[in-house]
Amino acid sequence: MKQKMTGPTLPDMTLEQAVSDSTSIFMSALHVIMSSSIFNSKILPGVGEVLKTAKTLYGILQVNPCVLDNEVKETIRVLWPAVSGGDKQWLMSSRREEMFCKFHQIRLSPLLRSCLTSLCSKAGLDVPVPVLMTLAKHFFESLVSLREKVESNKCDVKIEMDVIEENILRYACGYIPMAISKQLERRGLKFHHMIECLKHMKTSSQEASSFLSYTTHWVNVENRGGLFQVNDRVYLFFRRVEFFVRKYNNQLLQCQPSRIHQTVIDSVMSDRAALQHWSELSVSLEEDAALHLMLMCIKLWVNIRGHSTARKLVQEFKVKEKKQHGNVALRKELKKSHEK
């Protein structure tokens, strides 16, 4: 059954918001140029003109931030179709590809060149086209960077787990790619690329220790050579998934499996951090295949967690029943003693 998906969640930052903060964004782009070791190099040809232009424009805007207001805002409006060009894509890799394809189309258009020429002319500068295009590129990248930063802050959820829970999570994560690989192998050669993608989720012996090394302790202790030890990116993705599983934990046994699957999937698909992790994990796949594989992983994780929750509740019920049975027996014994 094909998974129902309504479409990607659109970023919060709109054209109107970008236009209202236009001068600040443009100055940020100029500052990147001014602080770049490339543009401060005296060896590379042509970079001196770019640096000089950036410094002049930055100095003018520091004195009077509103002097180029109309020209900067118009440039943002021209660039915006490229900045928002990937909004219909789910994964970051596809999204960036669409954005940069659109940007290169706009960069070749007379409209963008006209906007930047007007901007520089108002500042008293006669700037060659290659320099204008360099300004356009950095302005575009500043817009994209700011928009993604806003999204990142939005999905910066706090995942509360102790060290033991994180080690258990990392240990359990290894089952997912291993189990799904076996499923796909039985389905035939057409899933070869997905299987290869899953194989690359395994950590390599050359992988350097990271800030997540503390989550690998239990896996390292238990491993006798047969465990599928996942890399950090896989762990970070499943930690995001686990956050949503815990969020809807009370529903795990109260609704149909398809509904809890859909609830968790919808949450993950709205979470840019989770999508970013998965985008980097599935870079070798086409977007449809990458999304299909991601849904398989999420569903299997939800199933595992659902069975785990069920077992825990059954165990708690048995303990509770045993205690109650013991209390009843104790009361009967006391009653008999009292009657004697």
Side-chain angles (χ1 to χ4, degrees):
M1 182 177 174
K2 193 170 182 180
Q3 188 66 42
K4 181 182 176 183
M5 293 189 291
T6 56
T9 302
L10 296 178
D12 283 346
M13 185 177 170
T14 62
L15 172 59
E16 290 72 23
Q17 291 171 325
V19 166
S20 67
D21 200 24
S22 57
T23 301
S24 173
I25 299 171
F26 187 51
M27 289 183 74
S28 175
L30 296 173
H31 185 267
V32 170
I33 294 173
M34 290 161 54
S35 58
S36 168
S37 58
I38 294 174
F39 292 110
N40 280 283
S41 169
K42 295 181 180 179
I43 300 173
L44 297 173
V47 296
E49 186 71 23
V50 176
L51 183 62
K52 180 182 175 183
T53 302
K55 284 182 176 180
T56 303
L57 291 171
Y58 194 87
I60 290 170
L61 291 171
Q62 274 189 315
V63 175
N64 186 355
C66 299
V67 67
L68 302 174
D69 204 34
N70 291 334
E71 289 75 15
V72 174
K73 286 179 178 178
E74 187 57 32
T75 304
I76 286 181
R77 292 188 183 97
V78 173
L79 288 171
W80 195 256
V83 176
S84 60
D87 286 357
K88 293 182 180 179
Q89 304 300 318
W90 285 103
L91 300 180
M92 190 61 72
S93 53
S94 301
R95 187 180 175 192
R96 281 185 167 271
E97 184 178 350
E98 288 292 325
M99 285 192 295
F100 279 93
C101 283
K102 189 67 177 176
F103 169 68
H104 287 300
Q105 292 173 10
I106 292 173
R107 193 170 67 164
L108 296 173
S109 70
L111 184 56
L112 179 61
R113 188 183 303 179
S114 174
C115 286
L116 290 170
T117 300
S118 298
L119 187 154
C120 292
S121 296
K122 193 167 183 179
L125 297 172
D126 183 16
V127 179
V129 173
V131 176
L132 292 177
M133 294 304 100
T134 302
L135 292 176
K137 177 178 177 291
H138 282 81
F139 198 5
F140 166 71
E141 289 176 350
S142 287
L143 284 164
V144 170
S145 177
L146 179 60
R147 202 166 186 239
E148 290 179 353
K149 185 178 179 182
V150 170
E151 290 180 71
S152 177
N153 290 338
K154 178 187 173 185
C155 63
D156 188 20
V157 295
K158 188 176 182 181
I159 304 172
E160 294 183 357
M161 285 191 286
D162 59 32
V163 175
I164 295 174
E165 287 177 311
E166 291 202 71
N167 271 266
I168 293 171
L169 175 62
R170 184 135 193 172
Y171 181 90
C173 283
Y175 174 75
I176 305 297
M178 185 174 64
I180 293 178
S181 289
K182 291 179 181 178
Q183 286 182 35
L184 295 175
E185 283 171 3
R186 291 193 293 269
R187 295 186 188 182
L189 291 174
K190 64 179 180 179
F191 295 99
H192 169 73
H193 295 298
M194 286 188 185
I195 295 169
E196 286 300 310
C197 177
L198 290 166
K199 285 180 180 177
H200 284 93
M201 293 183 182
K202 195 170 187 176
T203 187
S204 63
S205 57
Q206 290 80 26
E207 191 169 310
S209 60
S210 70
F211 72 99
L212 290 170
S213 295
Y214 71 94
T215 66
T216 65
H217 178 71
W218 190 28
V219 176
N220 292 334
V221 169
E222 293 294 318
N223 189 24
R224 298 292 181 271
L227 289 180
F228 191 107
Q229 293 180 267
V230 297
N231 59 45
D232 286 348
R233 186 67 62 184
V234 177
Y235 170 73
L236 290 171
F237 171 74
F238 279 106
R239 191 165 69 168
R240 303 295 292 193
V241 177
E242 174 65 11
F243 168 78
F244 294 113
V245 170
R246 291 185 178 208
K247 184 177 180 180
Y248 302 111
N249 186 55
N250 292 333
Q251 299 177 27
L252 278 171
L253 299 174
Q254 297 175 8
C255 62
Q256 296 177 347
S258 59
R259 288 188 61 189
I260 187 61
H261 286 152
Q262 190 64 52
T263 302
V264 175
I265 286 168
D266 288 344
S267 298
V268 173
M269 298 303 274
S270 300
D271 184 64
R272 281 293 177 187
L275 292 177
Q276 173 65 32
H277 293 318
W278 188 259
S279 181
E280 294 188 27
L281 289 169
S282 60
V283 68
S284 62
L285 299 175
E286 295 291 333
E287 182 166 290
D288 286 348
L291 288 173
H292 180 67
L293 186 59
M294 184 179 77
L295 296 183
M296 290 181 71
C297 290
I298 294 172
K299 286 179 181 179
L300 183 54
W301 184 258
V302 171
N303 289 344
I304 291 170
R305 291 291 281 108
H307 291 311
S308 172
T309 303
R311 283 195 299 270
K312 182 181 176 183
L313 290 176
V314 169
Q315 205 162 14
E316 288 176 354
F317 176 76
K318 287 180 177 179
V319 171
K320 186 177 179 182
E321 284 289 297
K322 191 173 181 180
K323 284 182 178 179
Q324 287 178 348
H325 181 74
N327 289 337
V328 170
L330 180 61
R331 284 197 296 271
K332 285 182 178 179
E333 189 68 32
L334 289 172
K335 187 178 179 181
K336 287 180 182 178
S337 299
H338 180 69
E339 289 172 352
K340 290 178 182 178

